[in-house]
Amino acid sequence: MLLPLRRACFWSQAARIRSGAAVFVKLLGLHDANACHFSQSAGLSARTCKALQYTNHGDPTQVVKLEDVDVPEVQEKDVLVKILAAPVNPSDINMIQGTYAILPNLPAVGGNEGVAEVIEVGSQVKALKIGDWVIPRDAGLGTWRTQAVLAEDDLISLPNDIPLLAAATLGVNPCTAFRMLSDFENLRPGDSVIQNSANSGVGQAVIQIAAARGINSINVVRDRPEFTQLSDRLKAMGASHVIREEELRRPEIKELFKICPKPKLALNGVGGKSATELLRHLKVRGSMVTYGGMSKQPVTVPVSALIFKDVKIRGFWVTQWKRDHAHDEGAFRAMLDELCSLVRQGKLTAPTCTEVPLLNYRNALGAAMQPFISSKQVLVMS
């Protein structure tokens, strides 16, 4: 989560989160506010970096500004990193708009995800070395910047032999897909999963991870003029079936389930009627997991689905999973190792991305808010 102190350019993992006017969470890895990284009062530093900051909520293209910020000295348990690339995710946009479930103290630096290279290490840093690629362990580090001084414990290393865009986008969407496919139903080769928002970053990761596990995927997307091209692209990734939302409501959908088992698992990133339609086709005692709400409409569960099918309605937020496993280094590392193995094998690729120079950030923010967007905007710092 985004956690910048009011007079800081870096968001400490120890900062407070507000929801409305209430302070309700205090995170692990606490630092004293007076020693906050990138604090304007943290000593005199000759180094500066570029950062995308906002001082109030609103339209991201209007409130986000490219600013020069000081880079503090590297302390004994810190590392200095050069940010290589950082995506623009829907949660980033929602935080800037002030509509996300958690909001930072302002001013804040945007961005929760990205990959960086370690270029300097403190005297007591043990797990990282110069040249390592790293990603944030949790949200809130402010990745839309060229450099940052971060605590070693706030980062986890990645192999630097995988593609840059795959590394930059690995920490949120593929992790979300991995956990949802692993934690809610015992899916075996030949089983099926159905999902809406199949062309999203999470959706594309679900398709590829499911295919690698021998799981059928039924992928629902909104109708659009380029549906055939999108369908072909998703099938090339490993999608078993790609259908329009309208087809879920037609009798012909029964033909699909003559050649494909009814899904044990439904993944909902949209909400509203789309989620209800997923439920209609879920197997008895199956699970629907909601991880997003792009339609901004509530999830309506028919009584018949609960009584006669005994479906399970669950939710998932990868940020919470990371916090719940903050002391379980092995769980996060094992997940990243498996994902990186899939990347190396060519079984998991980054979503379709548009690389945008940092100076053109307004173009990236504007494009990220467009409907039917099929390309993830990625800020490239060099």
PDB file of all heavy atoms in Angstrom, residues 306-330:
ATOM      1  N   LEU A 306     -26.625 -20.607  -4.207  1.00  0.00           N
ATOM      2  CA  LEU A 306     -26.210 -20.969  -2.850  1.00  0.00           C
ATOM      3  C   LEU A 306     -26.915 -22.225  -2.360  1.00  0.00           C
ATOM      4  O   LEU A 306     -26.299 -23.107  -1.751  1.00  0.00           O
ATOM      5  CB  LEU A 306     -26.495 -19.801  -1.901  1.00  0.00           C
ATOM      6  CG  LEU A 306     -25.709 -18.509  -2.167  1.00  0.00           C
ATOM      7  CD1 LEU A 306     -26.211 -17.395  -1.255  1.00  0.00           C
ATOM      8  CD2 LEU A 306     -24.222 -18.725  -1.965  1.00  0.00           C
ATOM      9  N   ILE A 307     -28.203 -22.320  -2.622  1.00  0.00           N
ATOM     10  CA  ILE A 307     -28.975 -23.443  -2.083  1.00  0.00           C
ATOM     11  C   ILE A 307     -28.727 -24.723  -2.870  1.00  0.00           C
ATOM     12  O   ILE A 307     -28.398 -25.767  -2.297  1.00  0.00           O
ATOM     13  CB  ILE A 307     -30.475 -23.108  -2.075  1.00  0.00           C
ATOM     14  CG1 ILE A 307     -30.747 -21.942  -1.121  1.00  0.00           C
ATOM     15  CG2 ILE A 307     -31.283 -24.345  -1.669  1.00  0.00           C
ATOM     16  CD1 ILE A 307     -32.190 -21.476  -1.130  1.00  0.00           C
ATOM     17  N   PHE A 308     -28.871 -24.649  -4.182  1.00  0.00           N
ATOM     18  CA  PHE A 308     -28.862 -25.864  -4.985  1.00  0.00           C
ATOM     19  C   PHE A 308     -27.471 -26.240  -5.496  1.00  0.00           C
ATOM     20  O   PHE A 308     -27.231 -27.403  -5.839  1.00  0.00           O
ATOM     21  CB  PHE A 308     -29.825 -25.726  -6.157  1.00  0.00           C
ATOM     22  CG  PHE A 308     -31.244 -25.437  -5.723  1.00  0.00           C
ATOM     23  CD1 PHE A 308     -31.886 -24.266  -6.105  1.00  0.00           C
ATOM     24  CD2 PHE A 308     -31.927 -26.334  -4.913  1.00  0.00           C
ATOM     25  CE1 PHE A 308     -33.176 -23.998  -5.701  1.00  0.00           C
ATOM     26  CE2 PHE A 308     -33.224 -26.065  -4.497  1.00  0.00           C
ATOM     27  CZ  PHE A 308     -33.851 -24.889  -4.891  1.00  0.00           C
ATOM     28  N   LYS A 309     -26.549 -25.266  -5.559  1.00  0.00           N
ATOM     29  CA  LYS A 309     -25.200 -25.579  -6.039  1.00  0.00           C
ATOM     30  C   LYS A 309     -24.147 -25.452  -4.946  1.00  0.00           C
ATOM     31  O   LYS A 309     -23.002 -25.871  -5.137  1.00  0.00           O
ATOM     32  CB  LYS A 309     -24.840 -24.668  -7.224  1.00  0.00           C
ATOM     33  CG  LYS A 309     -25.730 -24.892  -8.442  1.00  0.00           C
ATOM     34  CD  LYS A 309     -25.402 -23.934  -9.574  1.00  0.00           C
ATOM     35  CE  LYS A 309     -24.073 -24.226 -10.209  1.00  0.00           C
ATOM     36  NZ  LYS A 309     -23.822 -23.371 -11.393  1.00  0.00           N
ATOM     37  N   ASP A 310     -24.534 -24.835  -3.821  1.00  0.00           N
ATOM     38  CA  ASP A 310     -23.613 -24.715  -2.680  1.00  0.00           C
ATOM     39  C   ASP A 310     -22.275 -24.112  -3.103  1.00  0.00           C
ATOM     40  O   ASP A 310     -21.197 -24.571  -2.691  1.00  0.00           O
ATOM     41  CB  ASP A 310     -23.399 -26.086  -2.024  1.00  0.00           C
ATOM     42  CG  ASP A 310     -22.692 -25.983  -0.675  1.00  0.00           C
ATOM     43  OD1 ASP A 310     -22.757 -24.904  -0.059  1.00  0.00           O
ATOM     44  OD2 ASP A 310     -22.070 -26.978  -0.265  1.00  0.00           O
ATOM     45  N   VAL A 311     -22.360 -23.068  -3.937  1.00  0.00           N
ATOM     46  CA  VAL A 311     -21.126 -22.437  -4.394  1.00  0.00           C
ATOM     47  C   VAL A 311     -20.497 -21.634  -3.264  1.00  0.00           C
ATOM     48  O   VAL A 311     -21.164 -21.196  -2.321  1.00  0.00           O
ATOM     49  CB  VAL A 311     -21.383 -21.522  -5.609  1.00  0.00           C
ATOM     50  CG1 VAL A 311     -21.906 -22.327  -6.790  1.00  0.00           C
ATOM     51  CG2 VAL A 311     -22.319 -20.389  -5.253  1.00  0.00           C
ATOM     52  N   LYS A 312     -19.200 -21.446  -3.373  1.00  0.00           N
ATOM     53  CA  LYS A 312     -18.448 -20.676  -2.387  1.00  0.00           C
ATOM     54  C   LYS A 312     -18.056 -19.334  -3.007  1.00  0.00           C
ATOM     55  O   LYS A 312     -17.533 -19.302  -4.131  1.00  0.00           O
ATOM     56  CB  LYS A 312     -17.205 -21.451  -1.948  1.00  0.00           C
ATOM     57  CG  LYS A 312     -17.530 -22.785  -1.280  1.00  0.00           C
ATOM     58  CD  LYS A 312     -16.287 -23.547  -0.883  1.00  0.00           C
ATOM     59  CE  LYS A 312     -15.572 -24.178  -2.061  1.00  0.00           C
ATOM     60  NZ  LYS A 312     -16.326 -25.301  -2.650  1.00  0.00           N
ATOM     61  N   ILE A 313     -18.320 -18.256  -2.288  1.00  0.00           N
ATOM     62  CA  ILE A 313     -18.011 -16.911  -2.764  1.00  0.00           C
ATOM     63  C   ILE A 313     -16.835 -16.382  -1.947  1.00  0.00           C
ATOM     64  O   ILE A 313     -16.941 -16.211  -0.736  1.00  0.00           O
ATOM     65  CB  ILE A 313     -19.222 -15.967  -2.617  1.00  0.00           C
ATOM     66  CG1 ILE A 313     -20.473 -16.597  -3.232  1.00  0.00           C
ATOM     67  CG2 ILE A 313     -18.926 -14.613  -3.249  1.00  0.00           C
ATOM     68  CD1 ILE A 313     -20.364 -16.901  -4.704  1.00  0.00           C
ATOM     69  N   ARG A 314     -15.731 -16.137  -2.617  1.00  0.00           N
ATOM     70  CA  ARG A 314     -14.512 -15.732  -1.932  1.00  0.00           C
ATOM     71  C   ARG A 314     -13.962 -14.445  -2.552  1.00  0.00           C
ATOM     72  O   ARG A 314     -14.362 -14.019  -3.626  1.00  0.00           O
ATOM     73  CB  ARG A 314     -13.447 -16.842  -2.030  1.00  0.00           C
ATOM     74  CG  ARG A 314     -13.881 -18.195  -1.491  1.00  0.00           C
ATOM     75  CD  ARG A 314     -14.045 -18.188   0.014  1.00  0.00           C
ATOM     76  NE  ARG A 314     -12.809 -17.795   0.663  1.00  0.00           N
ATOM     77  CZ  ARG A 314     -11.797 -18.622   0.960  1.00  0.00           C
ATOM     78  NH1 ARG A 314     -11.904 -19.910   0.638  1.00  0.00           N
ATOM     79  NH2 ARG A 314     -10.717 -18.196   1.582  1.00  0.00           N
ATOM     80  N   GLY A 315     -13.005 -13.872  -1.871  1.00  0.00           N
ATOM     81  CA  GLY A 315     -12.309 -12.696  -2.385  1.00  0.00           C
ATOM     82  C   GLY A 315     -10.818 -12.895  -2.266  1.00  0.00           C
ATOM     83  O   GLY A 315     -10.334 -13.694  -1.445  1.00  0.00           O
ATOM     84  N   PHE A 316     -10.053 -12.169  -3.078  1.00  0.00           N
ATOM     85  CA  PHE A 316      -8.598 -12.273  -3.012  1.00  0.00           C
ATOM     86  C   PHE A 316      -7.961 -10.930  -3.324  1.00  0.00           C
ATOM     87  O   PHE A 316      -8.358 -10.233  -4.262  1.00  0.00           O
ATOM     88  CB  PHE A 316      -8.061 -13.316  -3.992  1.00  0.00           C
ATOM     89  CG  PHE A 316      -6.562 -13.477  -3.903  1.00  0.00           C
ATOM     90  CD1 PHE A 316      -5.999 -14.180  -2.858  1.00  0.00           C
ATOM     91  CD2 PHE A 316      -5.731 -12.883  -4.845  1.00  0.00           C
ATOM     92  CE1 PHE A 316      -4.620 -14.308  -2.749  1.00  0.00           C
ATOM     93  CE2 PHE A 316      -4.357 -13.003  -4.745  1.00  0.00           C
ATOM     94  CZ  PHE A 316      -3.790 -13.714  -3.698  1.00  0.00           C
ATOM     95  N   TRP A 317      -6.943 -10.574  -2.529  1.00  0.00           N
ATOM     96  CA  TRP A 317      -6.156  -9.349  -2.709  1.00  0.00           C
ATOM     97  C   TRP A 317      -4.708  -9.732  -2.467  1.00  0.00           C
ATOM     98  O   TRP A 317      -4.331 -10.117  -1.363  1.00  0.00           O
ATOM     99  CB  TRP A 317      -6.631  -8.298  -1.715  1.00  0.00           C
ATOM    100  CG  TRP A 317      -6.009  -6.954  -1.847  1.00  0.00           C
ATOM    101  CD1 TRP A 317      -5.500  -6.379  -2.979  1.00  0.00           C
ATOM    102  CD2 TRP A 317      -5.862  -5.972  -0.815  1.00  0.00           C
ATOM    103  NE1 TRP A 317      -5.044  -5.117  -2.714  1.00  0.00           N
ATOM    104  CE2 TRP A 317      -5.246  -4.847  -1.393  1.00  0.00           C
ATOM    105  CE3 TRP A 317      -6.186  -5.964   0.538  1.00  0.00           C
ATOM    106  CZ2 TRP A 317      -4.948  -3.703  -0.651  1.00  0.00           C
ATOM    107  CZ3 TRP A 317      -5.890  -4.829   1.271  1.00  0.00           C
ATOM    108  CH2 TRP A 317      -5.290  -3.709   0.679  1.00  0.00           C
ATOM    109  N   VAL A 318      -3.880  -9.648  -3.506  1.00  0.00           N
ATOM    110  CA  VAL A 318      -2.511 -10.135  -3.392  1.00  0.00           C
ATOM    111  C   VAL A 318      -1.712  -9.345  -2.361  1.00  0.00           C
ATOM    112  O   VAL A 318      -0.806  -9.892  -1.712  1.00  0.00           O
ATOM    113  CB  VAL A 318      -1.811 -10.126  -4.773  1.00  0.00           C
ATOM    114  CG1 VAL A 318      -1.480  -8.713  -5.231  1.00  0.00           C
ATOM    115  CG2 VAL A 318      -0.569 -11.014  -4.751  1.00  0.00           C
ATOM    116  N   THR A 319      -2.045  -8.071  -2.169  1.00  0.00           N
ATOM    117  CA  THR A 319      -1.353  -7.281  -1.147  1.00  0.00           C
ATOM    118  C   THR A 319      -1.548  -7.897   0.233  1.00  0.00           C
ATOM    119  O   THR A 319      -0.613  -7.991   1.038  1.00  0.00           O
ATOM    120  CB  THR A 319      -1.852  -5.828  -1.160  1.00  0.00           C
ATOM    121  OG1 THR A 319      -1.549  -5.249  -2.440  1.00  0.00           O
ATOM    122  CG2 THR A 319      -1.198  -4.995  -0.078  1.00  0.00           C
ATOM    123  N   GLN A 320      -2.777  -8.330   0.525  1.00  0.00           N
ATOM    124  CA  GLN A 320      -3.048  -8.953   1.816  1.00  0.00           C
ATOM    125  C   GLN A 320      -2.322 -10.283   1.942  1.00  0.00           C
ATOM    126  O   GLN A 320      -1.807 -10.625   3.015  1.00  0.00           O
ATOM    127  CB  GLN A 320      -4.553  -9.146   2.008  1.00  0.00           C
ATOM    128  CG  GLN A 320      -4.942  -9.573   3.423  1.00  0.00           C
ATOM    129  CD  GLN A 320      -4.567  -8.514   4.448  1.00  0.00           C
ATOM    130  OE1 GLN A 320      -4.954  -7.356   4.314  1.00  0.00           O
ATOM    131  NE2 GLN A 320      -3.804  -8.909   5.461  1.00  0.00           N
ATOM    132  N   TRP A 321      -2.271 -11.039   0.853  1.00  0.00           N
ATOM    133  CA  TRP A 321      -1.550 -12.307   0.895  1.00  0.00           C
ATOM    134  C   TRP A 321      -0.088 -12.071   1.241  1.00  0.00           C
ATOM    135  O   TRP A 321       0.496 -12.793   2.066  1.00  0.00           O
ATOM    136  CB  TRP A 321      -1.655 -13.030  -0.445  1.00  0.00           C
ATOM    137  CG  TRP A 321      -1.023 -14.392  -0.424  1.00  0.00           C
ATOM    138  CD1 TRP A 321      -1.634 -15.579  -0.142  1.00  0.00           C
ATOM    139  CD2 TRP A 321       0.362 -14.709  -0.645  1.00  0.00           C
ATOM    140  NE1 TRP A 321      -0.724 -16.616  -0.192  1.00  0.00           N
ATOM    141  CE2 TRP A 321       0.507 -16.111  -0.494  1.00  0.00           C
ATOM    142  CE3 TRP A 321       1.487 -13.950  -0.961  1.00  0.00           C
ATOM    143  CZ2 TRP A 321       1.728 -16.754  -0.653  1.00  0.00           C
ATOM    144  CZ3 TRP A 321       2.715 -14.591  -1.108  1.00  0.00           C
ATOM    145  CH2 TRP A 321       2.830 -15.970  -0.953  1.00  0.00           C
ATOM    146  N   LYS A 322       0.520 -11.059   0.639  1.00  0.00           N
ATOM    147  CA  LYS A 322       1.929 -10.781   0.915  1.00  0.00           C
ATOM    148  C   LYS A 322       2.130 -10.388   2.376  1.00  0.00           C
ATOM    149  O   LYS A 322       3.115 -10.786   3.000  1.00  0.00           O
ATOM    150  CB  LYS A 322       2.439  -9.680  -0.016  1.00  0.00           C
ATOM    151  CG  LYS A 322       2.549 -10.117  -1.467  1.00  0.00           C
ATOM    152  CD  LYS A 322       2.958  -8.960  -2.364  1.00  0.00           C
ATOM    153  CE  LYS A 322       3.069  -9.389  -3.815  1.00  0.00           C
ATOM    154  NZ  LYS A 322       3.420  -8.252  -4.702  1.00  0.00           N
ATOM    155  N   ARG A 323       1.209  -9.607   2.916  1.00  0.00           N
ATOM    156  CA  ARG A 323       1.338  -9.219   4.317  1.00  0.00           C
ATOM    157  C   ARG A 323       1.153 -10.424   5.242  1.00  0.00           C
ATOM    158  O   ARG A 323       1.865 -10.564   6.242  1.00  0.00           O
ATOM    159  CB  ARG A 323       0.306  -8.143   4.654  1.00  0.00           C
ATOM    160  CG  ARG A 323       0.601  -6.818   3.992  1.00  0.00           C
ATOM    161  CD  ARG A 323      -0.435  -5.797   4.411  1.00  0.00           C
ATOM    162  NE  ARG A 323      -0.389  -4.688   3.484  1.00  0.00           N
ATOM    163  CZ  ARG A 323      -1.434  -4.009   3.083  1.00  0.00           C
ATOM    164  NH1 ARG A 323      -2.632  -4.337   3.529  1.00  0.00           N
ATOM    165  NH2 ARG A 323      -1.301  -3.010   2.248  1.00  0.00           N
ATOM    166  N   ASP A 324       0.181 -11.255   4.895  1.00  0.00           N
ATOM    167  CA  ASP A 324      -0.061 -12.442   5.728  1.00  0.00           C
ATOM    168  C   ASP A 324       1.142 -13.380   5.741  1.00  0.00           C
ATOM    169  O   ASP A 324       1.316 -14.157   6.684  1.00  0.00           O
ATOM    170  CB  ASP A 324      -1.293 -13.201   5.230  1.00  0.00           C
ATOM    171  CG  ASP A 324      -2.590 -12.447   5.471  1.00  0.00           C
ATOM    172  OD1 ASP A 324      -2.587 -11.497   6.276  1.00  0.00           O
ATOM    173  OD2 ASP A 324      -3.602 -12.805   4.832  1.00  0.00           O
ATOM    174  N   HIS A 325       1.952 -13.323   4.688  1.00  0.00           N
ATOM    175  CA  HIS A 325       3.116 -14.205   4.582  1.00  0.00           C
ATOM    176  C   HIS A 325       4.423 -13.426   4.700  1.00  0.00           C
ATOM    177  O   HIS A 325       5.474 -13.878   4.223  1.00  0.00           O
ATOM    178  CB  HIS A 325       3.073 -14.960   3.251  1.00  0.00           C
ATOM    179  CG  HIS A 325       1.922 -15.922   3.142  1.00  0.00           C
ATOM    180  ND1 HIS A 325       0.639 -15.506   2.833  1.00  0.00           N
ATOM    181  CD2 HIS A 325       1.852 -17.268   3.330  1.00  0.00           C
ATOM    182  CE1 HIS A 325      -0.160 -16.554   2.826  1.00  0.00           C
ATOM    183  NE2 HIS A 325       0.543 -17.621   3.121  1.00  0.00           N
ATOM    184  N   ALA A 326       4.358 -12.274   5.349  1.00  0.00           N
ATOM    185  CA  ALA A 326       5.542 -11.427   5.470  1.00  0.00           C
ATOM    186  C   ALA A 326       6.686 -12.137   6.191  1.00  0.00           C
ATOM    187  O   ALA A 326       7.863 -11.863   5.924  1.00  0.00           O
ATOM    188  CB  ALA A 326       5.185 -10.129   6.193  1.00  0.00           C
ATOM    189  N   HIS A 327       6.364 -13.032   7.116  1.00  0.00           N
ATOM    190  CA  HIS A 327       7.397 -13.749   7.857  1.00  0.00           C
ATOM    191  C   HIS A 327       7.683 -15.126   7.258  1.00  0.00           C
ATOM    192  O   HIS A 327       8.456 -15.899   7.821  1.00  0.00           O
ATOM    193  CB  HIS A 327       6.975 -13.912   9.319  1.00  0.00           C
ATOM    194  CG  HIS A 327       6.895 -12.615  10.058  1.00  0.00           C
ATOM    195  ND1 HIS A 327       7.979 -11.789  10.239  1.00  0.00           N
ATOM    196  CD2 HIS A 327       5.851 -11.977  10.655  1.00  0.00           C
ATOM    197  CE1 HIS A 327       7.627 -10.711  10.932  1.00  0.00           C
ATOM    198  NE2 HIS A 327       6.328 -10.805  11.179  1.00  0.00           N
ATOM    199  N   ASP A 328       7.051 -15.410   6.131  1.00  0.00           N
ATOM    200  CA  ASP A 328       7.234 -16.702   5.469  1.00  0.00           C
ATOM    201  C   ASP A 328       7.987 -16.469   4.164  1.00  0.00           C
ATOM    202  O   ASP A 328       7.399 -16.422   3.085  1.00  0.00           O
ATOM    203  CB  ASP A 328       5.867 -17.356   5.214  1.00  0.00           C
ATOM    204  CG  ASP A 328       6.001 -18.761   4.649  1.00  0.00           C
ATOM    205  OD1 ASP A 328       7.137 -19.230   4.456  1.00  0.00           O
ATOM    206  OD2 ASP A 328       4.950 -19.382   4.388  1.00  0.00           O
ATOM    207  N   GLU A 329       9.284 -16.301   4.293  1.00  0.00           N
ATOM    208  CA  GLU A 329      10.115 -16.031   3.120  1.00  0.00           C
ATOM    209  C   GLU A 329       9.957 -17.118   2.066  1.00  0.00           C
ATOM    210  O   GLU A 329       9.932 -16.843   0.865  1.00  0.00           O
ATOM    211  CB  GLU A 329      11.581 -15.935   3.552  1.00  0.00           C
ATOM    212  CG  GLU A 329      12.597 -15.892   2.418  1.00  0.00           C
ATOM    213  CD  GLU A 329      12.700 -14.549   1.751  1.00  0.00           C
ATOM    214  OE1 GLU A 329      12.267 -13.556   2.368  1.00  0.00           O
ATOM    215  OE2 GLU A 329      13.206 -14.489   0.615  1.00  0.00           O
ATOM    216  N   GLY A 330       9.810 -18.356   2.525  1.00  0.00           N
ATOM    217  CA  GLY A 330       9.766 -19.469   1.593  1.00  0.00           C
ATOM    218  C   GLY A 330       8.582 -19.442   0.653  1.00  0.00           C
ATOM    219  O   GLY A 330       8.702 -19.807  -0.515  1.00  0.00           O
TER     220      GLY A 330
END
